[in-house]
Amino acid sequence: MRTVLAKELRETLRDRRTLFMMIVIPTLLYPALMVVIEQLTLFGQRRLSERPAAVAVAGADTGMVSFLRRDSALRLLPPDSATVQAVRRHQAEAAVVVAPDSAGTRRVRVLYDPSDDRSQRANGVVRRRLEAFKDTLLARRLAGAGLPPGFATPLAVADSSVATAKETGAYALGRFLPVLLILMTLLGAFYPAIDLAAGEKERGTLETLLTAPVPPREIVAGKFAAVALIGVAAAAANLVSMLLTFQSGLFKFAKAAHVEFTLPWSTAALVLVGLVPLAVLFSALFLGIAVRSQSFKEAQNALTPVQLASTLPILVITLPGIDFNAALAAVPVVGIAMMFRALMSGGAPLVPCLVAFASTVLYAALALHFAARAFGREEVLFGGGAGAPAKGGWRARVEAWRAGPRRVPLAAEALAFVAAIALLYFHVGTALQSRLGERGLLASEWGLLFLPALLLVTAGPFDARRTLALRRPSGRGLAAALVIALAGIPLGWAIGWVQLQFLMDVPKELFGALEKLVTATSLPRFLWLLLLVALTPAVCEEVVFRGVLFQGLAREERMWHAVLASALVFGAFHLSGETAIRFLPTAWIGVLMGIVLWRTRSIFCSMLMHFVNNGLAVLVVSRPEVRHLLMSDAGEPNWWLVALAPLALAAGVWLLPERNTENG
Amino acid sequence: MHAAPITIRVRRTPSTQHSALLLIEFDRLSKSYGDLLAVSDLSLRVGEGEVYALLGANGAGKTTALRCLATLLRPTAGTARIAGFDAAREPLEVRRRLGFLAASMGLYQRLTARELLRYFANLNGIDGEAAERRIDEMVEAFGLGEFAERLCGKLSTGQRQRVSIARAVVHDPPALVLDEPTLGLDVLSSESILRFVEDARGRGRAVIFSTHQMSEVELLADRVGVIAGGRLAAEGTVAEIVAAAGEQNLARAFLRIVREAA
């Protein structure tokens, strides 16, 4: 492994792109950027202030006009320019319109254009001058009335920062430095990962390397260590360069604003420690994806969305009011970013930091496993066909697939179908529901979920019975499905409740809205709700998620992959801005339904589970006696039920029939 | 649905006649990619000091067969062995005894020739002084002196070819697997490969190479296997194959064999 690592490092360091990203950018960019930004800002300010602001004044008396005129930063224009049009056309930078005296007060309105820098500045200058004039008038009035100057100022309020310049600097640093550091770690690992995996494949060196008497895992380890080291080195170089730039005194603004950017060595060291698993995560993820690509370009295309997906969420750390809690700490990349923010701002809570670090180590290990698996698979390394690895892969497979019987959609087809449906549901379904209310919900379930699924399996070249798992369930299968659903539901509630207690603050009114939707006041209303909230989703959502999606995934993936992936998509489908908390409980029920479907091969079993799950929700909300049996008023589940649930779940799984492999 | 192949199995070559040490062996090897059967029931043997040419059209299964031997692909059925070690079960033992050369040459652009040789020497467990001695020998043997310190990416095709041969034999393997080694090379560059193969035979190495160049086969091969549709359609010396096909030269014989096998 060390041989591979040393060689990869040597070769990578000879690559201009990597060197550029690692050394040139950090050492030159920050000082240059800071100087350029500062100079440009100063230049702009100077230009703005080098000539007086042209302000038109209408309705002012001679006293006010002469007071304004005495300010050299102002150039007064005639009253006819004091109009909205004149300011909009930039004939005047601002306009002061003074109304006649009314009960001792003259109202003054300043017209300006906030989308124009000069107009903004003119507004500021003239406002300050007017305030000064007001003070002069006030002082004159007070003197006239024989009152002391402080008479009209019973309270003089001023604020004063208690933070030291260092603390203010640390706060500011914590908001943007982590973003840059993570971005640079990622970019540092980006090209080496592509080069060491896809690049090596493209140049034909990979097969030579794999004929050397070294186990593939050592090759992966060596390559991956090289990429990770380069990522960490890039981040460290950025960190050092940034700090030197701040401390060099080049950044005059910071001094003027009483802000001091410093980072204690201990903090910098902790940040570096946190960067290591992050670099490992990025390198392993990038390597794992890059090695699945046949060329440098293909890998670049495949990695770009991953790069975006990994960087955009870290912008969350720049937002105010986001607390660093254990839940946020466990979010990949964001957790570490929050940890850096906390460390740099000087108030790092221990538990979230540990969670962030440990979860990142875990994600890194998973990513490493993903990368190592790719290196061990010949179809990944050499495509699918002999002699033409670049083309053989999926094309050959697609050809073979086309030639063969096509009963169930491909995983990619199923995912594309669900993505299309989700878009449709999001845009059309939401509009329908806001316009037609409950009838809109009914229409969108049947029209936007059920109908497209039906069209896909009947119009497409698929076997509708297989794709939708339309198989008569056995009595035992149905019984098992019922037991598993009843056992799974309290566990789902428990997941939701725990999530609410510890992880997120969700406004209670959201539940009110949900409850209103499913509250029944009469029997017909109850039956209507059962149709709307329980039966309809049980049919419409099942044909999409356990039908097309699950069957498509199960065709190519292992059972667990299909179950988990379909459950996650199912959970994500129930996400919206208001109902983020439904994700985990929904995905949990999705997992159970996936397992039952796998074993029984009948969609009617998962439909039953879906119906029971949603129907019980209707019952709980509309019948207080049922609700009290199952949960408290605050929504805390009956823990006896939760404790018994795993037993019932095990019984249900035991009851499940073995998966029958005969066609049906 | 293959027609009955012309199969000539004449055991007259030195390796098999004089029970020379068997170094390369395919035993009923099959390899499929999904439904596509790339190599089917391939059996052949190459002994020490023998050069075996695997002749076939594009997509005939040559590369797949050689990749199975080089431990890069796992056979679907049967075995590929080097010096008695099974490529699927004991890949590391096989790799220690194997020199692999492909048309792509497999050179790292940003390593010098000497660094590249050192890297592969190290990967093969030759370190320190021993590695340097071996690299010096390689530089001497393949005439790399002038450009040993130059980056591989800056070398001419002929120079790269020489470095790549040196790389394949830096650990002095008893068996050499060459997958279309002269693909895309001009006559001069090809010549260095041809000389290398002849030299390897003289030193008792077993060489198997794939090609669709008849001239190379006629020049080098002790025995030839014609592979068509993944199957070994004919095997023997060049003369035997030409005679059995009832043609005047190897090119015509090859065409006939391939047509009849289709």
Side-chain angles (χ1 to χ4, degrees), chain A residues 3-4 7 10-11 14-15 195 200 203-205 207-215 378 382 384-386, chain B residues 31 33 64 67 70 72-74 95-96 100 102 104 106-111 115 119 122-124 151 167:
Chain A
T3 309
V4 178
K7 174 258 160 191
R10 169 173 293 163
E11 218 196 352
R14 283 180 186 162
D15 181 16
D195 196 43
E200 182 140 2
R203 291 188 296 267
T205 47
E207 60 178 353
T208 321
L209 179 61
L210 291 173
T211 54
V214 183
E378 59 185 45
F382 301 105
Chain B
K31 172 69 186 175
Y33 302 103
T64 299
R67 281 182 170 173
L72 293 170
L73 296 175
R74 267 189 98 82
R95 289 177 204 159
R96 281 191 190 105
F100 181 77
S104 62
L107 297 187
Y108 292 101
Q109 309 292 305
R110 295 188 296 273
L111 290 189
E115 285 167 347
Y119 180 47
N122 293 163
L123 287 177
N124 279 286
L151 293 184
R167 193 266 310 147

Side-chain angles (χ1 to χ4, degrees), chain A residues 624-639:
Chain A
E625 63 274 20
V626 179
R627 189 212 308 237
H628 289 143
L629 205 64
L630 301 175
M631 58 176 66
S632 75
D633 281 335
E636 183 175 354
N638 182 334
W639 293 108

Side-chain angles (χ1 to χ4, degrees), chain A residues 167-468:
Chain A
E167 285 165 346
T168 317
Y171 174 83
L173 214 57
R175 299 265 155 171
F176 76 94
L177 192 56
V179 178
L180 273 178
L181 273 179
I182 291 174
L183 206 63
M184 285 301 161
T185 311
L186 184 142
L187 286 178
F190 192 75
Y191 283 114
I194 297 179
D195 196 43
L196 266 54
E200 182 140 2
K201 250 166 128 177
E202 193 174 14
R203 291 188 296 267
T205 47
L206 189 64
E207 60 178 353
T208 321
L209 179 61
L210 291 173
T211 54
V214 183
R217 63 170 185 280
E218 289 198 21
I219 295 175
V220 186
K223 281 179 175 295
F224 143 78
V227 178
L229 265 180
I230 290 163
V232 172
N238 278 275
L239 186 66
V240 170
S241 167
M242 230 182 279
L243 289 175
L244 288 178
T245 307
F246 286 139
Q247 284 164 353
S248 64
L250 279 170
F251 206 47
K252 296 193 189 76
F253 275 166
K255 267 190 196 161
H258 295 291
V259 177
E260 198 182 327
F261 294 113
T262 52
L263 199 60
W265 282 111
S266 55
T267 308
L270 280 174
V271 167
L272 261 183
V273 168
L275 274 176
V276 173
L278 192 71
V280 171
L281 171 62
F282 284 143
S283 334
L285 187 67
F286 289 175
L287 263 184
I289 293 170
V291 80
R292 286 168 164 86
S293 311
Q294 299 294 342
S295 65
F296 200 96
K297 204 170 169 189
E298 197 184 315
Q300 223 169 353
N301 290 341
L303 282 182
T304 305
V306 181
Q307 186 190 3
L308 276 177
S310 337
T311 44
L312 287 181
I314 55 174
L315 293 178
V316 84
I317 70 158
T318 60
L319 302 176
I322 305 280
D323 286 330
F324 185 29
N325 57 25
L328 200 58
V331 178
V333 189
V334 175
I336 279 283
M338 286 299 287
M339 181 176 111
F340 290 169
R341 184 177 104 167
L343 282 171
M344 289 173 186
S345 309
L350 183 66
V351 172
C353 280
L354 287 178
V355 171
F357 188 80
S359 62
T360 306
V361 169
L362 178 74
Y363 300 137
L366 287 176
L368 201 53
H369 176 70
F370 166 74
R373 266 191 40 179
F375 270 85
R377 284 165 61 179
E378 59 185 45
E379 69 270 25
V380 170
L381 296 176
F382 301 105
K391 286 195 237 160
W394 66 272
R395 248 187 232 176
R397 260 183 271 165
V398 169
E399 290 298 321
W401 162 73
R402 275 194 186 144
R406 195 174 167 193
R407 294 174 157 180
V408 175
L410 281 180
E413 280 178 326
L415 283 169
F417 171 73
V418 171
I421 274 199
L423 272 181
L424 196 68
Y425 199 87
F426 183 76
H427 291 292
V428 184
T430 317
L432 272 177
Q433 286 165 38
S434 68
R435 201 166 296 171
L436 301 174
E438 292 181 355
R439 277 178 303 147
L441 178 62
L442 198 68
S444 43
E445 286 270 338
W446 290 99
L448 304 177
L449 296 179
F450 185 77
L451 197 62
L454 204 64
L455 281 176
L456 179 83
V457 294
T458 49
F462 308 115
D463 178 342
R465 285 186 60 211
R466 284 282 293 260
T467 306
L468 299 182

